[in-house]
mmCIF file of all heavy atoms in Angstrom:
data_model
loop_
_atom_site.group_PDB
_atom_site.id
_atom_site.type_symbol
_atom_site.label_atom_id
_atom_site.label_comp_id
_atom_site.label_asym_id
_atom_site.label_seq_id
_atom_site.Cartn_x
_atom_site.Cartn_y
_atom_site.Cartn_z
ATOM 1 N N ILE A 648 17.843 21.781 11.268
ATOM 2 C CA ILE A 648 17.309 22.258 9.961
ATOM 3 C C ILE A 648 17.680 23.792 9.834
ATOM 4 O O ILE A 648 17.604 24.564 10.746
ATOM 5 C CB ILE A 648 15.742 22.237 9.987
ATOM 6 C CG1 ILE A 648 15.387 20.795 10.224
ATOM 7 C CG2 ILE A 648 15.226 22.740 8.615
ATOM 8 C CD1 ILE A 648 15.882 19.714 9.140
ATOM 9 N N THR A 649 18.250 24.121 8.605
ATOM 10 C CA THR A 649 18.519 25.532 8.307
ATOM 11 C C THR A 649 17.835 25.821 7.023
ATOM 12 O O THR A 649 17.930 25.135 6.037
ATOM 13 C CB THR A 649 19.990 25.688 8.058
ATOM 14 O OG1 THR A 649 20.696 25.391 9.295
ATOM 15 C CG2 THR A 649 20.277 27.132 7.671
ATOM 16 N N ARG A 650 16.970 26.907 7.023
ATOM 17 C CA ARG A 650 16.254 27.372 5.832
ATOM 18 C C ARG A 650 16.796 28.795 5.551
ATOM 19 O O ARG A 650 16.754 29.708 6.392
ATOM 20 C CB ARG A 650 14.735 27.330 6.055
ATOM 21 C CG ARG A 650 14.129 25.972 6.164
ATOM 22 C CD ARG A 650 12.725 26.042 6.495
ATOM 23 N NE ARG A 650 12.423 26.514 7.803
ATOM 24 C CZ ARG A 650 11.224 26.919 8.271
ATOM 25 N NH1 ARG A 650 10.094 26.764 7.375
ATOM 26 N NH2 ARG A 650 11.005 27.330 9.447
ATOM 27 N N THR A 651 17.123 28.995 4.217
ATOM 28 C CA THR A 651 17.641 30.354 3.858
ATOM 29 C C THR A 651 16.812 30.792 2.501
ATOM 30 O O THR A 651 16.468 29.889 1.682
ATOM 31 C CB THR A 651 19.082 30.247 3.508
ATOM 32 O OG1 THR A 651 19.399 29.340 2.486
ATOM 33 C CG2 THR A 651 19.860 29.938 4.699
ATOM 34 N N TRP A 652 16.696 32.074 2.421
ATOM 35 C CA TRP A 652 15.956 32.667 1.271
ATOM 36 C C TRP A 652 16.937 33.841 0.845
ATOM 37 O O TRP A 652 17.480 34.569 1.602
ATOM 38 C CB TRP A 652 14.687 33.332 1.554
ATOM 39 C CG TRP A 652 13.600 32.330 1.986
ATOM 40 C CD1 TRP A 652 12.593 31.905 1.139
ATOM 41 C CD2 TRP A 652 13.331 31.771 3.243
ATOM 42 N NE1 TRP A 652 11.751 31.100 1.849
ATOM 43 C CE2 TRP A 652 12.154 30.935 3.231
ATOM 44 C CE3 TRP A 652 13.945 31.806 4.445
ATOM 45 C CZ2 TRP A 652 11.577 30.228 4.200
ATOM 46 C CZ3 TRP A 652 13.478 31.227 5.569
ATOM 47 C CH2 TRP A 652 12.319 30.376 5.385
ATOM 48 N N GLU A 653 17.184 33.966 -0.487
ATOM 49 C CA GLU A 653 17.892 35.056 -1.137
ATOM 50 C C GLU A 653 17.190 35.400 -2.401
ATOM 51 O O GLU A 653 16.756 34.570 -3.102
ATOM 52 C CB GLU A 653 19.341 34.647 -1.465
ATOM 53 C CG GLU A 653 20.213 34.283 -0.258
ATOM 54 C CD GLU A 653 20.610 35.421 0.598
ATOM 55 O OE1 GLU A 653 20.462 36.640 0.164
ATOM 56 O OE2 GLU A 653 20.931 35.272 1.765
ATOM 57 N N GLY A 654 16.913 36.774 -2.515
ATOM 58 C CA GLY A 654 16.212 37.157 -3.738
ATOM 59 C C GLY A 654 16.516 38.626 -4.132
ATOM 60 O O GLY A 654 17.030 39.430 -3.275
ATOM 61 N N THR A 655 16.216 38.992 -5.328
ATOM 62 C CA THR A 655 16.384 40.291 -5.798
ATOM 63 C C THR A 655 15.038 40.672 -6.638
ATOM 64 O O THR A 655 14.388 39.822 -7.157
ATOM 65 C CB THR A 655 17.562 40.554 -6.727
ATOM 66 O OG1 THR A 655 17.491 39.734 -7.927
ATOM 67 C CG2 THR A 655 18.826 40.147 -5.983
ATOM 68 N N ILE A 656 14.826 42.001 -6.767
ATOM 69 C CA ILE A 656 13.725 42.370 -7.469
ATOM 70 C C ILE A 656 13.860 43.794 -8.232
ATOM 71 O O ILE A 656 14.732 44.643 -7.656
ATOM 72 C CB ILE A 656 12.402 42.557 -6.646
ATOM 73 C CG1 ILE A 656 11.159 42.714 -7.482
ATOM 74 C CG2 ILE A 656 12.601 43.695 -5.606
ATOM 75 C CD1 ILE A 656 9.894 42.547 -6.614
ATOM 76 N N THR A 657 13.394 43.880 -9.377
ATOM 77 C CA THR A 657 13.384 45.225 -10.104
ATOM 78 C C THR A 657 11.943 45.433 -10.634
ATOM 79 O O THR A 657 11.450 44.607 -11.187
ATOM 80 C CB THR A 657 14.435 45.193 -11.277
ATOM 81 O OG1 THR A 657 15.690 44.905 -10.743
ATOM 82 C CG2 THR A 657 14.415 46.464 -12.056
ATOM 83 N N ILE A 658 11.504 46.697 -10.385
ATOM 84 C CA ILE A 658 10.130 47.081 -10.853
ATOM 85 C C ILE A 658 10.294 48.424 -11.483
ATOM 86 O O ILE A 658 10.779 49.398 -10.925
ATOM 87 C CB ILE A 658 9.143 47.155 -9.704
ATOM 88 C CG1 ILE A 658 9.002 45.753 -8.949
ATOM 89 C CG2 ILE A 658 7.798 47.585 -10.137
ATOM 90 C CD1 ILE A 658 8.073 45.777 -7.833
ATOM 91 N N ASP A 659 9.792 48.509 -12.726
ATOM 92 C CA ASP A 659 9.755 49.754 -13.527
ATOM 93 C C ASP A 659 8.304 50.269 -13.654
ATOM 94 O O ASP A 659 7.437 49.429 -14.035
ATOM 95 C CB ASP A 659 10.361 49.562 -14.909
ATOM 96 C CG ASP A 659 11.836 49.311 -14.912
ATOM 97 O OD1 ASP A 659 12.488 50.060 -14.126
ATOM 98 O OD2 ASP A 659 12.238 48.444 -15.596
ATOM 99 N N ILE A 660 8.061 51.527 -13.328
ATOM 100 C CA ILE A 660 6.743 52.093 -13.367
ATOM 101 C C ILE A 660 6.751 53.119 -14.405
ATOM 102 O O ILE A 660 7.676 53.895 -14.506
ATOM 103 C CB ILE A 660 6.305 52.695 -12.029
ATOM 104 C CG1 ILE A 660 6.265 51.495 -10.946
ATOM 105 C CG2 ILE A 660 4.954 53.415 -12.093
ATOM 106 C CD1 ILE A 660 5.937 51.948 -9.574
ATOM 107 N N ASP A 661 5.701 53.111 -15.263
ATOM 108 C CA ASP A 661 5.723 54.136 -16.395
ATOM 109 C C ASP A 661 5.487 55.547 -15.883
ATOM 110 O O ASP A 661 5.246 55.801 -14.689
ATOM 111 C CB ASP A 661 4.581 53.717 -17.320
ATOM 112 C CG ASP A 661 3.163 54.002 -16.809
ATOM 113 O OD1 ASP A 661 3.013 53.987 -15.529
ATOM 114 O OD2 ASP A 661 2.238 54.331 -17.611
ATOM 115 N N GLY A 662 5.742 56.523 -16.825
ATOM 116 C CA GLY A 662 5.685 57.892 -16.362
ATOM 117 C C GLY A 662 4.473 58.388 -15.802
ATOM 118 O O GLY A 662 4.375 59.242 -14.875
#
Side-chain angles (χ1 to χ4, degrees):
I648 305 298
T649 301
R650 291 178 291 170
T651 60
W652 293 261
E653 297 288 341
T655 61
I656 193 168
T657 300
I658 300 175
D659 291 318
I660 299 178
D661 71 330

